Amino acid sequence: HKAGPLWSKLRLSACPYRQKVRAIKSAAWPRCLHAVAATTVSTATYTSLRAGALKGLKSDAAGANATVHLGLIEDPTNDPQVWAIIQTFRLARDCGDQHRVEEVLASLALGRTDLPANSITHTLLTRIQSLGWHVNESGHIVDMVGSFSLFLISTAELQYRVEIHWPLVVHALTEHRPCFQGLDRVDPRDTRSW
């Protein structure tokens, strides 16, 4: 795995913890997840990247959970899966035709089987669904706040919606551990302040 030496160098670095976190988001994820916006990535890859990042931060003590650490203790955009989701949203907004993308999203969500299963729009739908969101018949995204067009929402609001939904994803990934029950009711900003 190409990221192995990166985590070792980060762990040995004398720079402060905050700079290491910044390096993960600005250097590690672009390097490890090159072209992720247009292709699917396995859950095992995200798990491996999270574990490596925790090792690089020297936060890999027994019982530590990389998903909780990178997605709740730190800003969710430090999690490789959130980073990939945002990159996919950015690619669709920057390069996609609104009418066509929303039409194909709706068709894929409705189960049309004559569309290619390896398209960028399919990857986009997979990332939307990984947040627990769904796509309606008009191709708009529906989350717990309401319905919106990926192309008409501001970047800041889109990122905010991703960040408020991420604790629900973390909860789903960690609810099997008794000490992590209730994470779906945690306020991540208060958690980070604490």
Side-chain angles (χ1 to χ4, degrees):
H1 195 271
K2 293 168 85 173
L6 179 67
W7 305 131
S8 297
K9 286 179 187 176
L10 191 62
R11 187 177 186 96
L12 295 172
S13 172
C15 68
Y17 175 86
R18 279 281 130 225
Q19 287 181 323
K20 289 182 178 186
V21 170
R22 191 175 306 131
I24 288 171
K25 189 161 63 172
S26 64
W29 296 154
R31 178 179 172 187
C32 297
L33 295 168
H34 177 73
V36 73
T39 188
T40 56
V41 176
S42 72
T43 303
T45 299
Y46 291 129
T47 301
S48 174
L49 289 170
R50 286 182 186 115
L54 235 53
K55 180 182 173 187
L57 292 171
K58 292 185 184 178
S59 297
D60 56 339
N65 185 288
T67 305
V68 171
H69 190 99
L70 295 173
L72 287 180
I73 296 171
E74 293 301 332
D75 183 272
T77 57
N78 289 298
D79 186 274
Q81 190 172 359
V82 173
W83 193 87
I85 290 166
I86 290 173
Q87 295 306 309
T88 303
F89 289 169
R90 193 172 286 155
L91 174 70
R93 289 165 57 99
D94 292 347
C95 303
D97 173 69
Q98 177 184 352
H99 176 72
R100 182 66 182 146
V101 170
E102 289 179 346
E103 177 186 338
V104 174
L105 268 177
S107 296
L108 287 169
L110 292 171
R112 261 187 57 195
T113 57
D114 60 328
L115 297 168
N118 61 347
S119 68
I120 293 173
T121 308
H122 189 271
T123 300
L124 174 62
L125 179 63
T126 301
R127 301 262 157 83
I128 289 167
Q129 291 172 336
S130 72
L131 286 165
W133 297 355
H134 71 274
V135 175
N136 65 21
E137 62 282 344
S138 63
H140 288 183
I141 299 169
V142 181
D143 64 7
M144 69 180 177
V145 177
S147 172
F148 64 94
S149 168
L150 179 63
F151 296 90
L152 302 178
I153 193 171
S154 73
T155 302
E157 184 179 349
L158 180 59
Q159 183 161 331
Y160 174 74
R161 285 179 183 237
V162 170
E163 289 177 12
I164 65 171
H165 281 81
W166 193 247
L168 301 175
V169 176
V170 173
H171 169 70
L173 294 171
T174 59
E175 68 181 338
H176 63 282
R177 291 178 64 174
C179 59
F180 288 139
Q181 291 182 356
L183 285 181
D184 57 327
R185 295 181 305 274
V186 168
D187 183 324
R189 292 178 196 269
D190 281 349
T191 302
R192 282 190 283 284
S193 296
W194 179 73

